[in-house]
Amino acid sequence: MTRHLETVKPRNVEIKGELGESILKLIVAFLFIAVGTINLAAQEEAPIGEWIVLGNSFALHNITSFWWGNWGMAASRRDSDFCHVLNERISKWQNKEPVLSCYNIADWERDHGSEEQIHKVAALLSGREALIVIRVGECVNDTKNYEEDFETLIDSLRLRNPQAKIFV
């Protein structure tokens, strides 16, 4: 049986105070646990050869004066960040390590109405990915037209790679 997830549309959410931050941390922890319990073996599809994660600093952050690794900032080591944990789970499921590409598209989040940013993100795809994972939202400064711009981004990715499954 093939399972399909519906696209979840972003909503304006305001997190205030320590309680709000605690709730947000709990939600993030739940999502990491949920990723670990997805039964990928139940899918009847071909193994994933290539896949891509389009995210922000949770997915990838370059070394800077305040960050010491070339991996997602939610982890203390490269092999424990979002992209690499999920890649390990996919590898175990299919007994073969897929080719992972991981990119920080926070510039698109900050300037999501820009056609230039849309083209830059779409150009990151090789066209051979079986799976596209989009993990964004924290770097959005202006939510005006965000939903429409997000749909435009997804449409541009589908044009570049129509056979890929897109997970948001």
Side-chain angles (χ1 to χ4, degrees), residues 2 23 31 37-38 51 60 62 73 75 85 91 93 100 110 115 123 133 139 141 143 148 153 155:
T2 303
I23 291 171
L31 290 174
T37 61
I38 293 173
W51 72 293
L60 177 67
N62 295 326
M73 290 185 83
V85 167
S91 297
W93 161 67
L100 166 64
R110 290 184 203 97
E115 283 197 36
V133 175
C139 298
N141 298 322
T143 58
E148 295 85 7
L153 174 67
D155 290 344

Side-chain angles (χ1 to χ4, degrees), residues 103-115:
Y103 294 98
N104 185 325
I105 63 166
D107 288 343
W108 175 84
E109 285 182 285
R110 290 184 203 97
D111 190 16
H112 51 81
S114 163
E115 283 197 36

Side-chain angles (χ1 to χ4, degrees), residues 73-90:
M73 290 185 83
S76 58
R77 298 184 333 255
R78 184 175 194 261
D79 63 345
S80 62
D81 73 3
F82 173 77
C83 299
H84 294 90
V85 167
L86 191 53
N87 195 58
E88 179 66 23
R89 293 191 185 279
I90 292 170

